[in-house]
Amino acid sequence: GAELGAPGGAPRSQNAPPRNERDYGGGVRKDRRSGVGIGGRGDPKDSGPPPKRLTLGSGEGGGEGGGEVSLAQLLAKLGPALHAMHGYETSQTLALLSALPRRHYETGYVLGLVGLCLFEAADYKKAEQVFQQVWRAEPHRVEGLEWYSTALWHLHKDVELGFLAQQVLQGNRMKPQVWCVVGNCFSLQKEHDTALKFFRRALQVDPAFTYAYTLCGHEFASNDKFDKAIPMYQNALTIDPRHYNAWFGLGNIYHRQEEHENAEHHFLKALEINRNNSVLRCYLGQVLDALDKPLHALENFKLAAKGEPPNGMAYFQKARVLINLCRFEEALEALKQVRCLAPKEAQVHFLLGKVYMELKRDRNALEHFNIAMDLNRDSKDYHTIKTKIEQLKHVAELQDPEPTPPPPSEGPPAMSRRSGVGPGPDNRLELSHLLLPAGSSVGGSPHPRQHGGGRGYQAVSGRPSAGGAGANPLP
């Protein structure tokens, strides 16, 4: 019988397209959105032109040599850079990002990554410059402000940090980065309680903002409130187990409490995440030295000294271990490196004097002891240095025959042939005057930032230092 379905019971052709696919103008209906035919047998003639490749600007100034860059090519460059950044391979990340086309490299997002790389490498001056570019390009961008403000904290730029805090408060106050900036501003003024209020405000805005917990921990540790600092670091690790700053903060606390085994464990955990961090290497080396493992400590100091920018703390600690191992020539070379990085560190000159004494180079030893005295005039170490100078003078008197007294005259007082110092109320000043090269400056104060004080930083670079005053050298 006839197949029903057509009007009037007429049979329908087997090859006839369904009603919703017929084009009563004589062709196959096309999809309105794409313009591509969806009926018939899929003849290529009916498929329309192929879609155009999406391009994203030229490669001028980047790695494409002036040609257009497709979205796939852009992601192929950005993906490996983000992967390297996740592994704290800062040099590799910077190289990959620099291959991006200029118009993409100069966006706030990419420059923020560049600034973070420099920040992680402890190159705070360059990081500050890059973050300034981000701020100028995108004044309302809040991502990365926490790192920018911490870089200013490291550089002790209180005016710039105060200005930044005022500016960000005029924007979106519901972002935790804004309150971290304000907290860092008060922290730099050593108003730790006020700083803690603002860091806690950041946590109220976003309870999952890991870095705010770490900053709270740093502030508590600066006030020696370890019982309150430890839970803050632990909260940070609960949210992000790869937050190496919190691992370091815990290790720093245990190191200051002389729980060296615990400190070693936490520093190693931090290094598993960020193995290229020279500050972590330094603190692990100090713990290993305290555990009577000088050779292992020396290996870590050598690795830390290879970092960029040069880590003066690494050279200094390396020299201390070498002195304990009686390897004075090697210690001398390391101390010379530190002197170039921190010429006004009294402790560096004191150790140089001790090494020169061991090497029987008394004149050099005397020179550096006097520089150390000028730099440390009000310190409790002043008498220790003075004792070393007296020892040198005593050795000189034993080695030199007693000079023949000159006949009475009205000329200047006689001077020792060895030391060139005559009688007077302040031999120290005369020694310094005779032995220091012309134009030398021995005034001023030691390097303002020590990896190991306040929030823990290094005496020759660095944020809080764990060594002495209990600060954290890590951001």
Side-chain angles (χ1 to χ4, degrees):
E3 183 180 357
L4 299 179
R12 188 169 67 181
S13 170
Q14 294 290 335
N15 295 325
R19 179 176 299 178
N20 61 350
E21 288 186 9
R22 293 178 187 172
D23 184 353
Y24 293 98
V28 178
R29 185 179 64 86
K30 295 184 179 181
D31 183 79
R32 291 181 181 178
R33 289 169 295 178
S34 65
V36 179
I38 57 174
R41 300 190 180 183
D43 192 340
K45 296 178 186 177
D46 298 329
S47 299
K52 293 182 179 180
R53 186 182 66 160
L54 178 61
T55 58
L56 300 170
S58 69
E60 180 184 355
E64 294 299 321
E68 292 183 339
V69 182
S70 68
L71 178 60
Q73 289 173 320
L74 183 64
L75 294 177
K77 291 178 179 295
L78 191 57
L82 291 173
H83 182 74
M85 182 70 241
H86 191 66
Y88 296 97
E89 300 287 348
T90 55
S91 299
Q92 183 182 352
T93 305
L94 290 172
L96 290 167
L97 291 175
S98 65
L100 290 171
R102 182 177 301 169
R103 62 174 299 192
H104 299 294
Y105 182 85
E106 293 178 351
T107 59
Y109 175 73
V110 175
L111 286 176
L113 291 176
V114 173
L116 181 55
C117 284
L118 295 169
F119 178 86
E120 291 292 352
D123 196 343
Y124 301 119
K125 289 183 179 180
K126 289 184 179 179
E128 180 204 4
Q129 294 169 2
V130 174
F131 283 128
Q132 283 178 348
Q133 286 182 264
V134 178
W135 183 253
R136 286 194 297 266
E138 301 182 19
H140 301 291
R141 184 180 185 85
V142 297
E143 290 78 12
L145 283 176
E146 68 274 30
W147 312 115
Y148 183 18
S149 62
T150 304
L152 292 173
W153 190 99
H154 279 293
L155 296 171
H156 278 236
K157 293 195 173 184
D158 53 347
V159 175
E160 291 84 348
L161 186 51
F163 176 75
L164 179 64
Q166 290 179 346
Q167 292 297 308
V168 299
L169 283 174
Q170 296 176 11
N172 188 353
R173 297 192 176 197
M174 295 306 295
K175 296 291 185 180
Q177 294 91 339
V178 170
W179 300 108
C180 286
V181 173
V182 181
N184 274 331
C185 180
F186 282 97
S187 174
L188 186 56
Q189 304 298 328
K190 301 191 183 306
E191 297 184 28
H192 301 298
D193 293 337
T194 307
L196 278 166
K197 290 180 182 178
F198 288 111
F199 292 142
R200 284 171 168 160
R201 174 62 178 156
L203 292 173
Q204 288 176 343
V205 171
D206 183 0
F209 193 67
T210 310
Y211 194 51
Y213 287 105
T214 301
L215 291 175
C216 286
H218 289 339
E219 292 303 313
F220 282 126
S222 297
N223 291 334
D224 294 334
K225 296 180 179 179
F226 301 139
D227 57 327
K228 295 183 178 180
I230 289 175
M232 287 296 176
Y233 292 131
Q234 290 173 339
N235 288 337
L237 292 172
T238 300
I239 298 170
D240 181 9
R242 296 192 75 256
H243 189 60
Y244 77 92
N245 314 69
W247 287 111
F248 168 81
L250 290 169
N252 182 36
I253 288 175
Y254 293 128
H255 176 43
R256 290 169 59 188
Q257 292 177 331
E258 297 187 2
E259 297 182 26
H260 299 305
E261 290 83 1
N262 272 340
E264 180 187 9
H265 167 75
H266 287 85
F267 286 145
L268 286 172
K269 292 290 289 185
L271 277 168
E272 287 178 11
I273 300 166
N274 188 354
R275 61 180 179 275
N276 296 318
N277 191 291
S278 62
V279 178
L280 286 173
R281 290 280 177 195
C282 283
Y283 280 90
L284 177 61
Q286 292 180 56
V287 168
L288 292 172
D289 189 32
L291 291 171
D292 199 21
K293 301 177 182 178
L295 296 180
H296 290 88
L298 189 60
E299 187 63 30
N300 278 280
F301 292 139
K302 287 180 178 178
L303 289 172
K306 295 177 181 178
E308 289 292 336
N311 189 333
M313 181 185 173
Y315 286 109
F316 183 77
Q317 297 295 340
K318 174 184 174 183
R320 289 182 62 251
V321 175
L322 289 169
I323 290 171
N324 292 336
L325 295 174
C326 299
R327 293 159 60 173
F328 300 112
E329 291 289 352
E330 295 176 66
L332 180 60
E333 291 303 314
L335 287 170
K336 286 180 178 179
Q337 294 280 352
V338 187
R339 184 183 60 184
C340 293
L341 296 169
K344 293 184 179 181
E345 278 287 346
Q347 186 70 5
V348 175
H349 289 283
F350 179 68
L351 279 186
L352 277 167
K354 290 180 66 175
V355 171
Y356 278 125
M357 277 186 69
E358 296 291 344
L359 296 174
K360 309 300 182 186
R361 295 164 64 176
D362 294 347
R363 188 175 181 83
N364 297 101
L366 200 57
E367 174 183 354
H368 286 285
F369 282 142
N370 277 280
I371 296 175
M373 287 186 73
D374 283 330
L375 295 173
N376 231 1
R377 194 183 294 261
D378 300 324
S379 170
K380 62 182 180 181
D381 298 325
Y382 178 88
H383 296 292
T384 303
I385 301 170
K386 191 172 182 178
T387 301
K388 290 291 182 182
I389 293 176
E390 294 297 331
Q391 290 178 8
L392 283 173
K393 290 173 65 178
H394 180 66
V395 170
E397 290 172 359
L398 292 177
Q399 291 180 352
D400 288 349
E402 191 69 29
T404 304
S409 68
E410 296 182 359
M415 296 196 303
S416 164
R417 287 181 293 138
R418 173 131 179 156
S419 65
V421 179
D426 191 352
N427 285 345
R428 179 183 61 81
L429 294 178
E430 295 182 66
L431 279 170
S432 177
H433 172 73
L434 290 170
L435 295 179
L436 287 177
S440 294
S441 172
V442 294
S445 59
H447 194 281
R449 201 78 153 161
Q450 294 192 346
H451 255 314
R455 244 190 267 188
Y457 285 78
Q458 137 186 2
V460 203
S461 63
R463 187 169 176 170
S465 85
N472 275 319
L474 290 181

